[in-house]
Amino acid sequence: MGTQIVQESKRCLQCVNPQCVKGCPVGTPIPEMISMLLEGQIRKAGEMLFRNNPLSVICSLVCPHESFCEGHCILGHKNKPVRISSMEHYISDYYLRFMDLLPEKRIAQKVGVIGAGPAGITVAFLLALRGYDITIYESKDKIGGVLRYGIPDFRLPKTLLDRLEEHLIRMGVIIRPNTLIGKRLTLEDLFRDGFEALFIGTGVWTPHRLDIKGESLGHVHYALDYLRNPEVYHLGERVCVIGAGNTAMDAARSCLRRGAREVTVLYRKDKQYIPARDVEVEYALIDGVQFLYRARPLEITLHGVQYVKTLEEENAPGQYHDTEETALLSCDTVIIAISQDPCATIPDNSNGLETGIKGLLVTDSRGHTTRKGIFASGDVVTGAKTVVEAVAQSKIVVQAMEEYLEGKIV
């Protein structure tokens, strides 16, 4: 691994106008990172990456690099791009073993972070480094959000999240797990108890329904629920996954690792319209996942999924209509993976928090919600996006929160 990292580092052209940096949502200083690595300054490079993106060690594994940094590498026009992600992960993973960052000062202002997913972790780290008194409220038993409960371990080792949690605690961040804010404890309670600003980063955890007959049967599950704890599900030998996004690929590959002999992804369009990353589809195919294209589910029965075959409109690429031909895909278990929405627990039990399309929180470009002192970013604002996009927006929100808090100092 180390030899490959050095070889890749030496391939970098050190462009005067690095397009890889422009392609990164958080502007990772890639040329500087590579120079430091080659000069033997790996810890300095790691600190630089962490301060720019506290989830660098995560993004280096799960980002769609082909669309961001590596997709903009000039070498990729005629050859293979530099494997920036591999270098970033090597450096960031190494640095976490030695990281000793602590707040340079202590500011006697309490900030509550609701939700410990990518956005919440980013905000907690950056505000803690600035010296604020941070408490994280997480509805589940461990931090990570979608990183822990939505991405399989074979794609993202959960030990990385455990190490990040250790550093949060070392910085003085208090983590309160298994605490759902909204009903028993409300935003009003937090303000009453001395929190001067609140951040909401609760993600999107309500799966979309198909709204077809058979969806309530016992062998039907939603991908988000399945991925939280695959060990408790009895799948049988044949599984049908409905949907073709990244979550569907994760569910399909997880099923094969949990004993299913045959997993089929059912998708209503053709292969070129699959929303999942190409690399995730390729890995699914390598693992043995099968794909059934141009098939829209009509009904779920005890024997499988009844579907109608579809055809693409001649004059409207990407638009499909039903044919008269139907068939049954036999299976023992059905997993539905067709997107998700936020939970309404907080806005339904709070005053002044406006929501918009599909229940997403309404904010301005800097993360101010419609209620003073409350900020938000991540999927609960944008809908499901990439981890690095959540980090990028959360960095902007941190600046806005700091300005707000500084204005409250008397």
Side-chain angles (χ1 to χ4, degrees):
M1 178 66 174
T3 302
Q4 294 175 348
I5 294 299
V6 172
Q7 292 173 343
E8 282 298 295
S9 300
K10 290 180 178 179
R11 289 183 61 223
C12 177
L13 299 178
Q14 290 290 323
C15 302
V16 175
N17 185 23
Q19 296 303 303
C20 56
V21 177
K22 293 183 178 180
C24 175
V26 291
T28 300
I30 295 163
E32 290 89 340
M33 171 191 81
I34 293 174
S35 294
M36 290 178 187
L37 177 64
L38 292 174
E39 292 167 3
Q41 302 182 64
I42 188 170
R43 294 191 194 182
K44 184 177 179 181
E47 180 176 343
M48 177 185 69
L49 290 174
F50 184 87
R51 287 186 180 276
N52 178 68
N53 174 7
L55 294 185
S56 175
V57 72
I58 304 292
C59 291
S60 58
L61 290 180
V62 302
C63 261
H65 307 102
E66 68 278 4
S67 298
F68 295 145
C69 57
E70 292 176 13
H72 287 73
C73 175
I74 193 170
L75 288 178
H77 295 311
K78 294 183 178 180
N79 201 339
K80 291 183 179 180
V82 175
R83 289 292 302 275
I84 298 165
S85 56
S86 297
M87 288 181 282
E88 182 180 6
H89 185 72
Y90 186 87
I91 295 168
S92 297
D93 182 61
Y94 181 92
Y95 176 67
L96 280 185
R97 304 174 199 169
F98 302 96
M99 190 173 95
D100 58 356
L101 293 180
L102 292 172
E104 296 179 1
K105 57 182 178 180
R106 291 290 180 182
I107 301 173
Q109 288 180 293
K110 294 169 62 177
V111 178
V113 174
I114 304 168
I121 293 174
T122 299
V123 169
F125 265 125
L126 295 180
L127 286 179
L129 281 173
R130 287 163 166 78
Y132 292 97
D133 184 354
I134 309 297
T135 299
I136 295 176
Y137 296 89
E138 171 53 48
S139 64
K140 300 179 181 63
D141 58 342
K142 298 283 287 182
I143 74 163
V146 68
L147 302 175
R148 184 180 294 275
Y149 298 102
I151 299 178
D153 200 64
F154 58 81
R155 278 220 299 131
L156 178 64
K158 303 309 180 284
T159 53
L160 293 176
L161 295 168
D162 296 336
R163 290 161 67 189
L164 289 173
E165 181 175 4
E166 291 171 4
H167 286 296
L168 280 169
I169 293 171
R170 187 169 179 274
M171 287 182 184
V173 174
I174 298 172
I175 301 173
R176 182 167 171 173
N178 298 314
T179 304
L180 177 65
I181 300 297
K183 288 188 177 180
R184 186 175 295 111
L185 288 176
T186 66
L187 302 182
E188 285 69 24
D189 292 328
L190 299 184
F191 280 127
R192 177 203 64 196
D193 292 341
F195 288 91
E196 297 190 45
L198 301 176
F199 172 82
I200 300 175
T202 47
V204 286
W205 289 98
T206 304
H208 277 192
R209 293 172 38 138
L210 280 171
D211 284 327
I212 62 175
K213 185 177 180 181
E215 196 164 355
S216 68
L217 296 177
H219 64 303
V220 182
H221 312 289
Y222 297 103
L224 277 180
D225 298 328
Y226 171 71
L227 288 170
R228 287 181 194 178
N229 193 3
E231 292 79 8
V232 305
Y233 290 82
H234 303 285
L235 302 175
E237 294 193 349
R238 296 171 299 174
V239 177
C240 171
V241 176
I242 300 175
N246 290 326
T247 300
M249 299 304 113
D250 286 341
R253 296 176 66 196
S254 294
C255 289
L256 288 169
R257 286 166 170 76
R258 298 301 307 170
R261 290 183 173 272
E262 185 178 301
V263 177
T264 302
V265 167
L266 188 149
Y267 183 52
R268 62 190 178 89
K269 297 183 179 183
D270 284 288
K271 180 179 179 179
Q272 64 265 34
Y273 298 115
I274 284 184
R277 295 171 61 194
D278 289 345
V279 66
E280 298 303 330
V281 176
E282 290 170 3
Y283 273 119
L285 288 168
I286 290 172
D287 283 354
V289 175
Q290 301 176 44
F291 288 78
L292 177 59
Y293 299 109
R294 298 183 299 278
R296 185 177 70 82
L298 294 174
E299 178 183 347
I300 301 172
T301 72
L302 294 174
H303 305 291
V305 179
Q306 191 78 30
Y307 66 91
V308 60
K309 295 185 178 181
T310 65
L311 280 177
E312 188 172 16
E313 299 284 356
E314 289 187 9
N315 300 317
Q319 300 298 315
Y320 283 71
H321 66 269
D322 293 347
T323 66
E324 295 182 357
E325 187 177 356
T326 62
L328 177 72
L329 175 63
S330 298
C331 62
D332 304 304
T333 296
V334 178
I335 294 180
I336 300 170
I338 56 168
S339 193
Q340 57 269 354
D341 292 328
C343 177
T345 304
I346 291 178
D348 283 357
N349 293 277
S350 307
N351 296 319
L353 273 183
E354 185 179 336
T355 57
I357 299 174
K358 297 180 180 179
L360 299 171
L361 284 178
V362 173
T363 69
D364 65 11
S365 61
R366 304 191 69 212
H368 297 88
T369 68
T370 52
R371 181 168 171 182
K372 184 178 180 181
I374 300 179
F375 301 78
S377 68
D379 290 355
V380 73
V381 173
T382 62
K385 296 282 188 179
T386 63
V387 176
V388 72
E389 287 171 312
V391 172
Q393 185 59 32
S394 298
K395 289 177 65 177
I396 295 172
V397 174
V398 165
Q399 294 295 327
M401 293 183 73
E402 189 168 28
E403 290 172 13
Y404 172 81
L405 290 162
E406 287 175 348
K408 295 195 70 177
I409 296 177
V410 179

